Amino acid sequence: MKIVTFNPFRTIGMPGIQYVKPERMFEKEERRKIAEADVCLFPENWQVNALVYGMKKTIFPSIQSIQMGFNKIEVTRGFWSVCPDHVPKTVILGRNHDNINRVFDEFPFPFVAKEIRNSMGKGVFLIENHKQFNEYAENNPYFYVQEYLPIDRDLRVCFVGDDVVAAYWRINERNSFRNNVAQGAKISFDNIPNEAIELVRTTARNLGVNHAGFDVITAGGKFYFLEFNTLFGNQGFQQLGISIERTIYDYLQRTITTS
């Protein structure tokens, strides 16, 4: 199996692999490598249309994973399409005075406002008054506003290839708003609910997503999706002793060589 990767750090140790810098993909020698490859790994979002529609290449993660995972708006719309009952109350609005007033009318304080392209807990704000939201509005052309659900942990469920490969709680021990490991959350592998695993498995397959870390919470006896990230951290894999590169390679061998 011949492989081109655009992100060597996520494909370390895979056999039969060649690296192409994304910005050089249209140069003659790099086009040859791409043409000869059975699969192209970890392209950036701007490369996807050219690779899939122009060069007719198979890519990993899937085009659905990359294009929906590009920002929180597309992720949420994906969830709305297949599992709307598992999404917290959320509005996505353009910035104008009417929409500012709509937010205040529909969401009691506190509520959550997010920047659409951030990750690792950055760009997520707990809004407790009008001044805080007005400051958020000044800096964001699109509003992503979500009801606040009080939790002290969330569940990261990693779906790679065609199934869930790891799941762990991210527990907030600092009494802060965010549960991300990058923000100091503790990882726990205890008491992972099977219902959440099955929800992620079904949702990922329905969306055509084959590489994502899904963030799931439980509130009022129900599971909710917050988002998924196509490029997610590997702390959980390291603690479990899982080689994610080997998992991806084995999946590609099963699917590429038999297609």
Side-chain angles (χ1 to χ4, degrees), residues 153-168:
R153 66 189 63 197
D154 65 12
L155 186 65
R156 166 59 60 87
V157 183
C158 302
F159 189 97
V160 178
D162 51 13
D163 210 349
V164 172
V165 297
Y168 50 89

mmCIF file of all heavy atoms in Angstrom, residues 153-168:
data_model
loop_
_atom_site.group_PDB
_atom_site.id
_atom_site.type_symbol
_atom_site.label_atom_id
_atom_site.label_comp_id
_atom_site.label_asym_id
_atom_site.label_seq_id
_atom_site.Cartn_x
_atom_site.Cartn_y
_atom_site.Cartn_z
ATOM 1 N N ARG A 153 -17.424 17.154 34.451
ATOM 2 C CA ARG A 153 -16.638 16.267 33.591
ATOM 3 C C ARG A 153 -17.323 16.130 32.238
ATOM 4 O O ARG A 153 -18.518 16.400 32.107
ATOM 5 C CB ARG A 153 -16.488 14.879 34.226
ATOM 6 C CG ARG A 153 -17.791 14.099 34.356
ATOM 7 C CD ARG A 153 -17.617 12.840 35.184
ATOM 8 N NE ARG A 153 -17.243 13.174 36.555
ATOM 9 C CZ ARG A 153 -16.713 12.319 37.414
ATOM 10 N NH1 ARG A 153 -16.471 11.066 37.031
ATOM 11 N NH2 ARG A 153 -16.417 12.686 38.639
ATOM 12 N N ASP A 154 -16.542 15.727 31.259
ATOM 13 C CA ASP A 154 -17.140 15.286 30.001
ATOM 14 C C ASP A 154 -16.416 14.031 29.548
ATOM 15 O O ASP A 154 -15.399 13.626 30.117
ATOM 16 C CB ASP A 154 -17.141 16.379 28.934
ATOM 17 C CG ASP A 154 -15.756 16.796 28.484
ATOM 18 O OD1 ASP A 154 -14.766 16.098 28.807
ATOM 19 O OD2 ASP A 154 -15.637 17.825 27.807
ATOM 20 N N LEU A 155 -16.976 13.387 28.554
ATOM 21 C CA LEU A 155 -16.467 12.117 28.076
ATOM 22 C C LEU A 155 -15.899 12.299 26.684
ATOM 23 O O LEU A 155 -16.599 12.752 25.778
ATOM 24 C CB LEU A 155 -17.597 11.078 28.051
ATOM 25 C CG LEU A 155 -17.222 9.641 27.707
ATOM 26 C CD1 LEU A 155 -16.320 9.046 28.779
ATOM 27 C CD2 LEU A 155 -18.490 8.785 27.564
ATOM 28 N N ARG A 156 -14.620 12.003 26.520
ATOM 29 C CA ARG A 156 -14.004 12.008 25.192
ATOM 30 C C ARG A 156 -14.051 10.591 24.646
ATOM 31 O O ARG A 156 -13.509 9.663 25.253
ATOM 32 C CB ARG A 156 -12.559 12.511 25.296
ATOM 33 C CG ARG A 156 -11.680 12.263 24.070
ATOM 34 C CD ARG A 156 -12.193 12.887 22.778
ATOM 35 N NE ARG A 156 -12.333 14.319 22.796
ATOM 36 C CZ ARG A 156 -11.354 15.182 22.504
ATOM 37 N NH1 ARG A 156 -10.139 14.738 22.224
ATOM 38 N NH2 ARG A 156 -11.587 16.477 22.505
ATOM 39 N N VAL A 157 -14.718 10.439 23.517
ATOM 40 C CA VAL A 157 -14.846 9.140 22.865
ATOM 41 C C VAL A 157 -14.177 9.241 21.505
ATOM 42 O O VAL A 157 -14.594 10.041 20.654
ATOM 43 C CB VAL A 157 -16.323 8.724 22.716
ATOM 44 C CG1 VAL A 157 -16.416 7.335 22.097
ATOM 45 C CG2 VAL A 157 -17.037 8.758 24.058
ATOM 46 N N CYS A 158 -13.150 8.427 21.296
ATOM 47 C CA CYS A 158 -12.335 8.496 20.078
ATOM 48 C C CYS A 158 -12.781 7.412 19.104
ATOM 49 O O CYS A 158 -12.726 6.221 19.410
ATOM 50 C CB CYS A 158 -10.859 8.319 20.413
ATOM 51 S SG CYS A 158 -10.242 9.543 21.603
ATOM 52 N N PHE A 159 -13.210 7.857 17.931
ATOM 53 C CA PHE A 159 -13.669 6.963 16.874
ATOM 54 C C PHE A 159 -12.630 7.016 15.756
ATOM 55 O O PHE A 159 -12.381 8.074 15.180
ATOM 56 C CB PHE A 159 -15.033 7.418 16.357
ATOM 57 C CG PHE A 159 -15.698 6.443 15.420
ATOM 58 C CD1 PHE A 159 -16.641 5.540 15.883
ATOM 59 C CD2 PHE A 159 -15.387 6.426 14.068
ATOM 60 C CE1 PHE A 159 -17.274 4.648 15.027
ATOM 61 C CE2 PHE A 159 -15.998 5.543 13.206
ATOM 62 C CZ PHE A 159 -16.944 4.647 13.679
ATOM 63 N N VAL A 160 -12.020 5.879 15.458
ATOM 64 C CA VAL A 160 -10.973 5.827 14.438
ATOM 65 C C VAL A 160 -11.241 4.643 13.522
ATOM 66 O O VAL A 160 -11.409 3.506 13.994
ATOM 67 C CB VAL A 160 -9.569 5.704 15.062
ATOM 68 C CG1 VAL A 160 -8.504 5.594 13.966
ATOM 69 C CG2 VAL A 160 -9.278 6.893 15.968
ATOM 70 N N GLY A 161 -11.293 4.916 12.226
ATOM 71 C CA GLY A 161 -11.587 3.857 11.270
ATOM 72 C C GLY A 161 -13.068 3.573 11.245
ATOM 73 O O GLY A 161 -13.869 4.398 10.800
ATOM 74 N N ASP A 162 -13.453 2.422 11.778
ATOM 75 C CA ASP A 162 -14.870 2.053 11.748
ATOM 76 C C ASP A 162 -15.439 1.758 13.125
ATOM 77 O O ASP A 162 -16.520 1.178 13.236
ATOM 78 C CB ASP A 162 -15.094 0.847 10.818
ATOM 79 C CG ASP A 162 -14.162 -0.321 11.128
ATOM 80 O OD1 ASP A 162 -13.524 -0.307 12.203
ATOM 81 O OD2 ASP A 162 -14.069 -1.251 10.301
ATOM 82 N N ASP A 163 -14.724 2.174 14.203
ATOM 83 C CA ASP A 163 -15.277 1.890 15.526
ATOM 84 C C ASP A 163 -14.619 2.770 16.587
ATOM 85 O O ASP A 163 -13.598 3.435 16.323
ATOM 86 C CB ASP A 163 -15.067 0.420 15.896
ATOM 87 C CG ASP A 163 -16.158 -0.109 16.820
ATOM 88 O OD1 ASP A 163 -16.953 0.702 17.344
ATOM 89 O OD2 ASP A 163 -16.222 -1.337 17.008
ATOM 90 N N VAL A 164 -15.198 2.756 17.766
ATOM 91 C CA VAL A 164 -14.626 3.439 18.926
ATOM 92 C C VAL A 164 -13.383 2.685 19.374
ATOM 93 O O VAL A 164 -13.409 1.454 19.519
ATOM 94 C CB VAL A 164 -15.660 3.503 20.073
ATOM 95 C CG1 VAL A 164 -15.019 4.027 21.349
ATOM 96 C CG2 VAL A 164 -16.847 4.370 19.669
ATOM 97 N N VAL A 165 -12.291 3.415 19.591
ATOM 98 C CA VAL A 165 -11.050 2.772 20.009
ATOM 99 C C VAL A 165 -10.627 3.175 21.413
ATOM 100 O O VAL A 165 -9.772 2.512 22.017
ATOM 101 C CB VAL A 165 -9.899 3.073 19.023
ATOM 102 C CG1 VAL A 165 -10.217 2.500 17.650
ATOM 103 C CG2 VAL A 165 -9.613 4.561 18.927
ATOM 104 N N ALA A 166 -11.189 4.235 21.963
ATOM 105 C CA ALA A 166 -10.842 4.653 23.323
ATOM 106 C C ALA A 166 -11.911 5.604 23.835
ATOM 107 O O ALA A 166 -12.563 6.312 23.050
ATOM 108 C CB ALA A 166 -9.472 5.330 23.367
ATOM 109 N N ALA A 167 -12.074 5.625 25.153
ATOM 110 C CA ALA A 167 -12.997 6.562 25.781
ATOM 111 C C ALA A 167 -12.500 6.849 27.194
ATOM 112 O O ALA A 167 -12.019 5.940 27.883
ATOM 113 C CB ALA A 167 -14.414 5.999 25.810
ATOM 114 N N TYR A 168 -12.615 8.090 27.611
ATOM 115 C CA TYR A 168 -12.170 8.448 28.962
ATOM 116 C C TYR A 168 -12.865 9.727 29.410
ATOM 117 O O TYR A 168 -13.233 10.580 28.596
ATOM 118 C CB TYR A 168 -10.647 8.629 29.021
ATOM 119 C CG TYR A 168 -10.051 9.524 27.963
ATOM 120 C CD1 TYR A 168 -9.917 10.892 28.164
ATOM 121 C CD2 TYR A 168 -9.607 8.992 26.751
ATOM 122 C CE1 TYR A 168 -9.367 11.713 27.192
ATOM 123 C CE2 TYR A 168 -9.057 9.800 25.779
ATOM 124 C CZ TYR A 168 -8.926 11.160 25.996
ATOM 125 O OH TYR A 168 -8.385 11.970 25.030
#
